[in-house]
Amino acid sequence: MVVVQFTKSVILIAFSFIIKKQLDYISHSIPQADNIIELDFGSEMNSEFTDRLYTVPYISAITTQNILHIGSVSGGDYSYNVLTVDPGFFDTYDLEFIEGGPFTRSSGNEDLIVNKIFYERYLLPESVMVGDSVKNEAFQNTSHRFIGIVDNFRIENLKTEMLPMIIRFKIPKDYSTLYIRLNPGTDIEEALEDIRSILSDFNSDHLETRKLTELYLVLHEDEIRMSKIIRFFTWFSLSLTIMGLFGLAWYSVERRRKEIAIRKIHGAAITEIITALCSEFMKWILTASVIGIPVSIYLANVWMRTFIYKERLSVGVFAMTILIVAATGIATVILQAYRAATANPVESIKTE
């Protein structure tokens, strides 16, 4: 029974770690996503406010465009996503260019950038190069100046394959939401206080914030819900294991009380007695790990198949699982074993 309960704990703990690693992978689809903050002002702001924000030393880049807000075009042989962005977009989200470069304030509506998938699928076969003017069905037969190829980046649920993408240029006059990149190591609360101070100069005090990591997780609500359920059952299972093990350890120690007393009379050290009592329980934990780890790997692989983009399973996850289960089990047994090992052996023999 104890082995079965330990096995359940091993499976649930390992699976919890795997889900957490995948959620971390999702939330950091963009490098240093923890440093990218959404600022919702609740009312329209303008470029004057943006210019003031650039005076805050912690802010390295600003854009009005949410990387997850996209349009799409499909028809004939073409299907792709469309983003309309300002010049600060690429620096804010730290996107890398394969060729060419980002928009500048002198860019025009005819300028466009594509991602790597779009270029390889639609432009490379026609030998289109950066700097060329392009007019074909992919651009709805309107003429554009092709100025750059940006590396692919994720803008949707990680269960969805990345699509070709066109990125167009636009500088909005007004906005109610901004996205800022803070310098690494910045105290976020300190930076937000400076932003609130600037807001007060514009007769506004409304400011709601979210990290980009949270925005990516919103696309994976089912996985977050599943993570919470698994965590609950993990703690529940581990609690049952500890209670059962505590009772079993107490019974085992009581049953061997006379043996422990004789060992002490013959000079056995307390550590030797505790080791002897723990060895049997370690065998159970090892057996549970041998059964539970392969099962958790199988379940993890089944779950991970639902994702196109995923974190690799690592040995560290399973090593940490075994360590937690072993530490919990041994600590529980040691409490009982220490009590028996430090008891007066004469009293123990008299009781027998």
Side-chain angles (χ1 to χ4, degrees), residues 3 20 47 87 91 105 159 162 180 201 269 275 287 290-291 305 321:
V3 172
K20 184 181 183 304
S47 59
D91 286 338
R105 289 197 168 271
K159 295 180 177 180
M162 281 191 281
I180 62 172
D201 294 340
T275 302
T287 302
V290 169
I291 298 170
R305 282 192 208 118
T321 298

Side-chain angles (χ1 to χ4, degrees), residues 43-181:
S43 58
E44 295 293 316
M45 308 300 287
N46 55 36
S47 59
E48 183 182 352
F49 177 74
T50 307
D51 292 340
R52 284 286 304 277
L53 282 184
Y54 271 115
T55 65
V56 178
Y58 321 108
I59 298 175
S60 61
I62 301 172
T63 184
T64 58
Q65 178 61 49
N66 182 345
I67 197 170
L68 303 179
H69 282 182
I70 58 171
S72 62
V73 173
S74 61
D77 297 328
Y78 300 98
S79 178
Y80 53 86
N81 289 324
V82 180
L83 269 174
T84 303
V85 308
D86 54 29
F89 176 82
F90 299 97
D91 286 338
T92 301
Y93 296 110
D94 195 24
L95 303 177
E96 295 184 5
F97 275 81
I98 297 171
E99 193 174 343
F103 299 124
T104 64
R105 289 197 168 271
S106 61
S107 295
N109 293 334
E110 73 281 0
D111 293 336
L112 63 81
I113 294 166
V114 302
N115 69 351
K116 183 180 177 182
I117 299 174
F118 188 100
Y119 179 73
E120 291 177 345
R121 187 174 300 179
Y122 299 135
L123 300 184
L124 186 59
E126 298 181 12
S127 301
V128 176
M129 305 296 290
V130 171
D132 290 349
S133 290
V134 185
K135 183 179 181 180
N136 61 22
E137 289 182 31
F139 307 124
Q140 300 175 329
N141 290 317
T142 56
S143 181
H144 290 84
R145 189 164 68 97
F146 172 39
I147 68 169
I149 306 169
V150 68
D151 203 0
N152 302 322
F153 55 94
R154 301 185 190 96
I155 59 174
E156 296 176 297
N157 190 299
L158 268 63
K159 295 180 177 180
T160 305
E161 188 173 4
M162 281 191 281
L163 292 176
M165 181 187 300
I166 286 177
I167 304 172
R168 291 176 172 152
F169 173 75
K170 183 180 181 181
I171 298 180
K173 294 180 180 179
D174 300 306
Y175 52 83
S176 60
T177 308
L178 277 182
Y179 300 84
I180 62 172
R181 172 177 282 275

Side-chain angles (χ1 to χ4, degrees), residues 114-252:
V114 302
N115 69 351
K116 183 180 177 182
I117 299 174
F118 188 100
Y119 179 73
E120 291 177 345
R121 187 174 300 179
Y122 299 135
L123 300 184
L124 186 59
E126 298 181 12
S127 301
V128 176
M129 305 296 290
V130 171
D132 290 349
S133 290
V134 185
K135 183 179 181 180
N136 61 22
E137 289 182 31
F139 307 124
Q140 300 175 329
N141 290 317
T142 56
S143 181
H144 290 84
R145 189 164 68 97
F146 172 39
I147 68 169
I149 306 169
V150 68
D151 203 0
N152 302 322
F153 55 94
R154 301 185 190 96
I155 59 174
E156 296 176 297
N157 190 299
L158 268 63
K159 295 180 177 180
T160 305
E161 188 173 4
M162 281 191 281
L163 292 176
M165 181 187 300
I166 286 177
I167 304 172
R168 291 176 172 152
F169 173 75
K170 183 180 181 181
I171 298 180
K173 294 180 180 179
D174 300 306
Y175 52 83
S176 60
T177 308
L178 277 182
Y179 300 84
I180 62 172
R181 172 177 282 275
L182 300 176
N183 294 323
T186 297
D187 184 319
I188 294 177
E189 286 306 317
E190 187 175 347
L192 292 179
E193 280 304 312
D194 285 348
I195 293 170
R196 288 189 180 94
S197 176
I198 294 172
L199 262 177
S200 65
D201 294 340
F202 288 79
N203 299 317
S204 176
D205 59 1
H206 179 94
L207 180 61
E208 296 181 11
T209 64
R210 288 189 297 178
K211 290 183 180 180
L212 183 61
T213 51
E214 298 173 62
L215 298 181
Y216 270 108
L217 288 176
V218 167
L219 301 176
H220 299 80
E221 290 181 347
D222 290 342
E223 286 73 27
I224 293 173
R225 196 177 300 112
M226 181 180 180
S227 174
K228 291 177 180 177
I229 292 170
I230 292 293
R231 274 205 306 269
F232 170 78
F233 280 107
T234 298
W235 286 112
F236 183 70
S237 176
L238 198 56
S239 299
L240 288 180
T241 302
I242 292 171
M243 287 189 289
L245 189 61
F246 190 86
L248 193 61
W250 176 86
Y251 174 76
S252 179

Side-chain angles (χ1 to χ4, degrees), residues 2-3 6-7 10 283-293 325:
V2 173
V3 172
F6 263 123
T7 302
V10 168
K283 291 176 186 176
W284 295 345
I285 293 170
L286 182 60
T287 302
S289 299
V290 169
I291 298 170
I293 294 299
V325 173

Side-chain angles (χ1 to χ4, degrees), residues 258-269 272-273 345 349:
K258 185 175 181 179
E259 175 193 336
I260 294 168
I262 293 172
R263 282 174 177 263
K264 284 194 69 175
I265 291 171
H266 284 83
E272 291 176 354
I273 295 171
I349 291 172

Side-chain angles (χ1 to χ4, degrees), residues 299-334:
L299 293 175
N301 281 324
V302 170
W303 180 67
M304 294 286 263
R305 282 192 208 118
T306 62
F307 293 92
I308 294 176
Y309 308 100
K310 52 202 167 193
E311 182 69 285
R312 292 181 179 179
L313 297 180
S314 65
V315 176
V317 167
F318 304 107
M320 182 61 72
T321 298
I322 295 172
L323 182 63
I324 289 173
V325 173
T328 303
I330 293 303
T332 304
V333 175
I334 284 176

